[in-house]
Amino acid sequence: MRKRKSLLTLLTMLLVVGTVLAGCGSKSDGGNGSKQNTAAAKDQVLHINLSAEPPTFDPALAQDSQAHTVLNMMYEGLVRLDENSQPVPGVAEKWDISSDGLKYVFHLRKDAKWSNGDPVTAKDFVFAWQRVLDPNTVPAPPYAYQLYYIKGAEDYNTKKTTDFSQVGVKATDDYTLEVTLNNPTPYFLGLTSFYTFYPVHQSVKDNPKWAADPKTMITNGPFTMTTWTTGQKIEVDKNPNYWDNKDIKLNKISMSLSNSGATELSSYRSGQLDYAGMPNGEIPTDQIPAIKKEMPDELTMNPVGSIYYYQFNTTAKPFDNAKIRKAFAMSINRQEIVDKVTQGGERPAFGMVPPGIAGAKDEFRTEHKDDYFQENVDEAKKLLQEGMKEEGYTTLPPVKLIYNSSEKHKKIALAVADMWKKNLGVDVQTENQEWGVFLKNRKSLNYQIARAGWNPDYNDPMTFFDLWTSKSGNNDVGFKNKEYDALVNDAFTSADNNKRMDDFAKAETLLVKDQQVLMPIYYYTSVSLQKPNLKGVVKDYAGGVDFTRAYFE
Amino acid sequence: MVRYVANKLFYMLVSLFILISATFFLMKVIPGDPFMSEKSVPPEIQARLMEQYGLDKPIYQQYFKYLGDIATGDFGISMKHQDQEVSDIIKETFSASLKLGLCAIVVSVIVGIFLGMLAALYHRKLIDNVAMVLAVLGIAVPSFVLASLIQFIFAEKLGWFHVMGFDSPLDYVLPVAALSAQPIAFIARLTRSSMLEVLHADYIKTAKAKGLNWFTIMYRHVIRNGILPVVTYIGPMTANIITGSVVIEQIFGIGGIGKVFVDCITNRDYTMIMGVTIFYGVLLMSARFITDIVYMLVDPRIKLTGGKEG
């Protein structure tokens, strides 16, 4: 009896304390927020979170979006992308492009400086690009192939020649850089804003560990790194030697490194972060409805040039039959998936090139509509029957869908499998696999249906098509089609942008309409939260974020 | 005594060797490599990377080369964070886990023993009941639930602490609280039950009968004997806490070694996996070793038998 009474006392005490605490909460909350706003405007210190520590700060070795965000603060290429994803002068003040589109002459500005005060010269670019392409660079830069557009670059990188003078990059004087390409590449100019093309200070050749310590990182961008605590925190400060530092209003960008979306969101709500979500983190999807109600003005969901899709293994039964592939692609409800599962304002996809990717004049997706197929359950059922008849099935062989372990992929997979069950009467088994295992199975064609996604490397539809050619190392669907290869090759070598876009449209028709090798699901959006007084954050066509010109009001 | 220690050390080395070998071969069996990505790089570049890290050689050659390297104390360069030495990453991230862990251990031991003693002394009274209810809660509530809860209340809602980060002393409060809840509960219960046992032992009655004062009885007999089970528990607990809690580190955004351990496996960062495994191995074995020694020093019965042998 006595025991029970003391238990009751304890519980009551807990309740009282809890209520008092909660009461304090709502009061101090409002005060906190406004204080923070004025303080932020005065200090101009931006707080963001990266969901993973960038594996490297060496532009030659970088290959992920976290490194992209940070390197973009610390370096500047020949050009940079403005708020419309158009190339604008960076280190290069102006440039001339020959009429055949093969030769670029970049005129570098004379006031561009490294963070130690040295001038940035054309030789620094030659040095950096040679370093990326040199087969003896340790470790081998994985993105060296981004430079293969340059004449002789691939031969030099794959040791077919050892003579760098054969490669089409020359510094004719300190401030003039001449670049010769293999093919007219309309997107090359924009590509020079990419980190693999950044200049690197020539002192790095004497110090293989230069990128491991902020003290030895000499950079040429708006910010320089001042603090780096492994796994914990990265800070960059405004670089007084940057040529355009009058346009840089932030004094410091402080980056925390938490891989938990929930923690990131909680930090944002508490005012510790000024920005949360894509591209460096992810807002938990189950929180989006609450956020839409709670802070609709701070939430943005802009479309980005990435696509979420399922791919069929065209060498595995029963998906070696195009009609069966079509039946599967036509019998799901994409709108329902984006409305109820992903909830980030994504757009249902019926083609492979997302909106935002440049076409001949406007966006490719505006010039060529993605009406390659429609969702139609009756038609799908009919096609499935026809396909089964062609293959001589009385019942469909068992079908398995694989995806890499993630809460979101799982939800989508379950929803899709459920739609197939309801609409086609087919039982599809879903299986999640650890990332490495998943990649290996996909690459070795050990699957029937697999989840996939693709984000662009540059602003041209080519980045979505060259991976499905017969020779591509990324072609993991077993699709080999001479007509398709010819179309992509034509677009690769042609200088006529109208013709190139027509080629792409034809290639897309083959891939999605005729063959249905891929089952597009939705075009990604970039879901992020941004404090109302934070302005000037720029996102590019691929969802990459540029904080360099951001400021607090 | 010396023989006992030497014996223990020898077995530790053998276990370490087995641990290294088993991890090395198991790790190579998992599909994938450190350079895999959704966008595959050209085969020439992939091959060059494999060659530069010696991954193109037969596994047994890689194995012997690795054994040679670690014999000279070279743990290599991380294959994912390619500018950084494995030992540097371990050093930096472990220092965060260690700082956090030591605070949690000190808090757990002090609060745990204190609560346990109070409960034992006021057996079946209100304090005892409160302490034990708290202990049951501490053991039953998973640390990630507690961590999220206190994060939500004290950081997000009340704004008393930062939600994440690890800069100021205040940043320690929430993660330490989350980390130590379970050990506190455990230690409190252990202390309580063993002290209750001791309090009813004959030698305490004798001591009381001799007319020793309360303080001397408590200090010389009750605490010293009652604390033994706690010492046994502190060893493994220490190892467990300072090796970093992935969950707590994740929730509070702390760059500790627990996070590194999980990430390096996902990344197939071979050198890092081996480095952290060896580090953990040595740490856990040392913790057990030290526990054994301390146990010998504290428990007179063990010292006696140990003394006879040595």
Side-chain angles (χ1 to χ4, degrees):
Chain A
M1 193 58 207
R2 222 172 61 188
K3 224 175 195 172
R4 206 175 289 162
K5 215 164 122 193
S6 42
L7 247 176
L8 264 177
T9 330
L10 176 75
L11 282 177
T12 325
M13 265 164 56
L14 274 177
L15 273 177
V16 169
V17 173
T19 324
V20 171
L21 289 181
C24 299
S26 46
K27 249 180 283 162
S28 65
D29 220 9
N32 239 359
S34 60
K35 223 188 296 163
Q36 205 125 23
N37 284 353
T38 41
K42 209 175 75 204
D43 303 341
Q44 295 290 343
V45 177
L46 172 68
H47 293 271
I48 61 170
N49 181 55
L50 308 178
S51 59
E53 180 170 65
T56 177
F57 296 108
D58 181 345
L61 298 181
Q63 53 174 337
D64 72 319
S65 60
Q66 309 296 346
H68 180 266
T69 300
V70 185
L71 289 175
N72 180 59
M73 300 166 184
M74 293 163 58
Y75 288 88
E76 186 175 68
L78 291 167
V79 305
R80 50 182 204 89
L81 298 182
D82 68 2
E83 61 274 16
N84 303 316
S85 295
Q86 293 306 310
V88 292
V91 177
E93 210 166 19
K94 54 184 188 328
W95 46 86
D96 309 311
I97 305 171
S98 67
S99 55
D100 59 1
L102 290 178
K103 196 164 173 188
Y104 286 67
V105 181
F106 292 96
H107 304 281
L108 273 53
R109 64 179 72 248
K110 302 209 165 61
D111 54 349
K113 285 198 186 73
W114 290 101
S115 48
N116 67 353
D118 292 350
V120 180
T121 67
K123 293 195 179 82
D124 295 328
F125 281 91
V126 177
F127 170 77
W129 295 7
Q130 178 169 5
R131 184 169 169 265
V132 170
L133 289 170
D134 191 340
N136 299 317
T137 302
V138 182
Y143 266 13
Y145 66 92
Q146 300 282 2
L147 271 67
Y148 283 2
Y149 305 99
I150 300 168
K151 198 177 149 225
E154 185 170 1
D155 285 350
Y156 182 73
N157 187 236
T158 53
K159 295 188 183 169
K160 290 199 184 79
T161 164
T162 52
D163 181 8
F164 191 70
S165 67
Q166 299 295 309
V167 181
V169 189
K170 278 178 194 64
T172 47
D173 63 54
D174 272 359
Y175 297 100
T176 313
L177 184 71
E178 254 184 50
V179 183
T180 317
L181 306 182
N182 287 320
N183 295 298
T185 311
Y187 48 90
F188 181 75
L189 191 61
L191 204 56
T192 61
S193 70
F194 191 65
Y195 46 77
T196 318
F197 287 82
Y198 284 159
V200 170
H201 194 267
Q202 300 196 28
S203 67
V204 309
K205 62 173 170 247
D206 306 319
N207 180 6
K209 293 242 187 85
W210 66 279
D213 183 356
K215 285 194 209 77
T216 50
M217 294 182 203
I218 303 173
T219 62
N220 75 325
F223 294 88
T224 51
M225 194 183 290
T226 45
T227 311
W228 175 19
T229 317
T230 304
Q232 186 65 54
K233 192 164 85 174
I234 299 168
E235 281 182 351
V236 296
D237 280 13
K238 186 173 172 176
N239 174 9
N241 278 317
Y242 177 58
W243 65 271
D244 191 24
N245 61 8
K246 62 176 195 313
D247 283 341
I248 307 301
K249 303 202 180 71
L250 289 177
N251 290 319
K252 189 193 267 297
I253 304 176
S254 177
M255 291 161 264
S256 55
L257 302 170
S258 166
N259 59 350
S260 152
T263 296
E264 185 175 312
L265 181 60
S266 181
S267 283
Y268 179 85
R269 281 193 168 125
S270 77
Q272 203 185 337
L273 292 177
D274 305 303
Y275 182 97
M278 301 260 266
N280 299 107
E282 195 159 7
I283 292 169
T285 47
D286 52 351
Q287 293 277 344
I288 293 179
I291 294 171
K292 278 179 186 160
K293 275 194 209 120
E294 198 187 318
M295 35 193 173
D297 303 338
E298 302 174 30
L299 179 71
T300 53
M301 305 192 290
N302 0 11
V304 289
S306 310
I307 180 160
Y308 190 100
Y309 61 97
Y310 282 174
Q311 59 187 41
F312 297 110
N313 177 358
T314 60
T315 64
K317 295 209 170 305
F319 297 108
D320 47 353
N321 183 293
K323 282 187 177 150
I324 297 180
R325 296 198 291 266
K326 281 182 196 170
F328 274 73
M330 288 166 77
S331 53
I332 66 163
N333 185 342
R334 288 162 179 78
Q335 194 63 49
E336 207 168 295
I337 291 171
V338 299
D339 285 347
K340 303 220 172 101
V341 184
T342 58
Q343 305 187 61
E346 293 87 351
R347 253 183 62 183
F350 297 90
M352 283 308 284
V353 182
I357 297 296
K361 289 191 181 62
D362 200 351
E363 288 179 10
F364 179 82
R365 205 65 290 164
T366 330
E367 292 169 355
H368 302 273
K369 285 267 168 300
D370 61 346
D371 47 8
Y372 298 111
F373 67 101
Q374 270 151 10
E375 287 166 0
N376 183 333
V377 175
D378 295 331
E379 181 71 22
K381 277 184 187 152
K382 216 176 87 200
L383 280 168
L384 182 66
Q385 289 311 320
E386 287 175 23
M388 284 170 66
K389 214 178 197 175
E390 281 174 20
E391 301 296 321
Y393 300 135
T394 45
T395 51
L396 207 63
V399 174
K400 191 160 82 182
L401 160 67
I402 62 169
Y403 58 94
N404 54 305
S405 313
S406 129
E407 205 43 47
K408 186 166 129 190
H409 300 332
K410 183 177 168 185
K411 284 181 187 160
I412 296 173
L414 292 177
V416 170
D418 189 52
M419 290 170 182
W420 281 331
K421 169 82 187 156
K422 218 165 55 199
N423 297 340
L424 289 183
V426 179
D427 275 306
V428 175
Q429 193 198 338
T430 58
E431 184 180 296
N432 76 333
Q433 298 183 342
E434 192 266 351
W435 181 234
V437 178
F438 173 77
L439 277 186
K440 185 161 185 212
N441 279 334
R442 225 173 65 181
K443 295 228 152 119
S444 51
L445 290 173
N446 180 23
Y447 71 93
Q448 290 171 299
I449 310 177
R451 180 211 78 86
W454 197 256
N455 55 311
D457 289 326
Y458 44 84
N459 194 357
D460 189 87
M462 179 60 90
T463 187
F464 291 95
F465 291 112
D466 65 351
L467 64 157
W468 307 115
T469 58
S470 320
K471 281 192 192 133
S472 161
N474 280 308
N475 182 341
D476 46 12
V477 292
F479 172 70
K480 288 191 168 46
N481 186 305
K482 286 208 180 90
E483 197 187 342
Y484 183 86
D485 292 354
L487 284 166
V488 174
N489 190 48
D490 190 49
F492 203 74
T493 49
S494 169
D496 177 357
N497 225 6
N498 286 316
K499 188 162 175 294
R500 291 179 70 243
M501 296 305 150
D502 287 341
D503 286 340
F504 290 136
K506 281 181 201 149
E508 198 174 30
T509 310
L510 251 177
L511 199 63
V512 181
K513 186 180 184 184
D514 300 350
Q515 293 296 326
Q516 196 91 55
V517 181
L518 310 166
M519 175 180 136
I521 299 180
Y522 63 80
Y523 303 121
Y524 272 95
T525 47
S526 169
V527 183
S528 60
L529 282 162
Q530 186 175 329
K531 292 286 173 198
N533 62 332
L534 172 63
K535 310 279 177 195
V537 177
V538 171
K539 284 196 188 154
D540 66 21
Y541 67 96
V545 64
D546 180 354
F547 288 109
T548 59
R549 266 80 181 164
Y551 59 95
F552 288 99
E553 258 179 2
Chain B
M1 176 77 181
V2 176
R3 222 180 90 191
Y4 176 79
V5 172
N7 225 343
K8 280 254 164 194
L9 279 176
F10 172 73
Y11 280 113
M12 270 169 72
L13 276 179
V14 174
S15 328
L16 196 60
F17 176 74
I18 295 173
L19 174 74
I20 291 172
S21 311
T23 312
F24 191 90
F25 290 107
L26 281 175
M27 164 182 96
K28 297 285 177 179
V29 174
I30 332 176
D33 63 72
F35 315 113
M36 64 190 176
S37 78
E38 187 147 22
K39 294 188 175 177
S40 48
V41 301
E44 294 90 359
I45 297 177
Q46 174 82 12
R48 204 177 302 145
L49 279 165
M50 298 297 267
E51 191 193 318
Q52 283 169 353
Y53 285 96
L55 298 176
D56 54 336
K57 301 210 171 59
I59 288 182
Y60 73 92
Q61 279 187 23
Q62 296 179 34
Y63 173 67
F64 287 117
K65 178 163 185 315
Y66 187 76
L67 285 186
D69 286 349
I70 54 171
T72 60
D74 177 10
F75 287 86
I77 283 176
S78 160
M79 294 186 183
K80 178 79 178 177
H81 298 263
Q82 292 168 329
D83 312 305
Q84 290 171 280
E85 300 255 356
V86 167
S87 45
D88 288 344
I89 298 181
I90 293 181
K91 221 183 288 166
E92 264 199 65
T93 53
F94 179 63
S95 83
S97 294
L98 186 67
K99 277 187 236 160
L100 186 67
L102 286 180
C103 290
I105 290 164
V106 171
V107 170
S108 317
V109 171
I110 294 178
V111 178
I113 291 181
F114 182 72
L115 276 181
M117 280 172 57
L118 272 186
L121 292 176
Y122 297 92
H123 187 45
R124 306 237 160 129
K125 300 220 172 69
L126 178 67
I127 295 180
D128 182 24
N129 292 330
V130 172
M132 285 310 108
V133 167
L134 282 179
V136 169
L137 278 179
I139 292 176
V141 177
S143 62
F144 70 92
V145 173
L146 183 68
S148 309
L149 188 73
I150 59 179
Q151 184 183 49
F152 176 73
I153 297 177
F154 297 105
E156 189 181 323
K157 283 290 158 202
L158 297 177
W160 293 354
F161 305 99
H162 285 150
V163 173
M164 61 169 156
F166 203 53
D167 296 321
S168 71
L170 269 184
D171 291 342
Y172 283 66
V173 176
L174 296 182
V176 165
L179 259 184
S180 48
Q182 215 151 1
I184 286 178
F186 208 86
I187 291 177
R189 290 195 65 100
L190 269 180
T191 314
R192 176 179 176 268
S193 57
S194 82
M195 276 197 42
L196 281 178
E197 199 181 304
V198 173
L199 280 171
H200 293 111
D202 289 340
Y203 59 88
I204 300 294
K205 285 181 189 149
T206 317
K208 277 183 188 161
K210 275 198 301 188
L212 282 180
N213 70 27
W214 181 84
F215 190 79
T216 320
I217 299 179
M218 283 309 287
Y219 176 71
R220 294 233 342 234
H221 301 288
V222 180
I223 296 184
R224 202 160 168 199
N225 286 296
I227 217 150
L228 272 178
V230 178
V231 174
T232 338
Y233 174 66
I234 287 177
M237 176 195 80
T238 306
N240 195 12
I241 288 185
I242 62 177
T243 45
S245 158
V246 187
V247 178
I248 302 291
E249 284 169 12
Q250 195 161 325
I251 292 178
F252 292 103
I254 295 165
I257 196 164
K259 211 159 95 177
V260 171
F261 191 42
V262 173
D263 288 348
C264 71
I265 296 172
T266 322
N267 292 333
R268 308 288 190 270
D269 190 343
Y270 293 142
T271 39
M272 201 70 219
I273 297 178
M274 290 308 298
V276 179
T277 308
I278 294 173
F279 180 74
Y280 274 5
V282 171
L283 206 67
L284 289 168
M285 286 177 205
S286 317
R288 282 206 55 172
F289 178 67
I290 294 170
T291 312
D292 284 348
I293 304 275
V294 172
Y295 210 76
M296 259 166 50
L297 297 178
V298 179
D299 189 338
R301 282 165 299 181
I302 291 185
K303 202 170 8 186
L304 267 181
T305 43
K308 263 181 208 162
E309 273 179 10

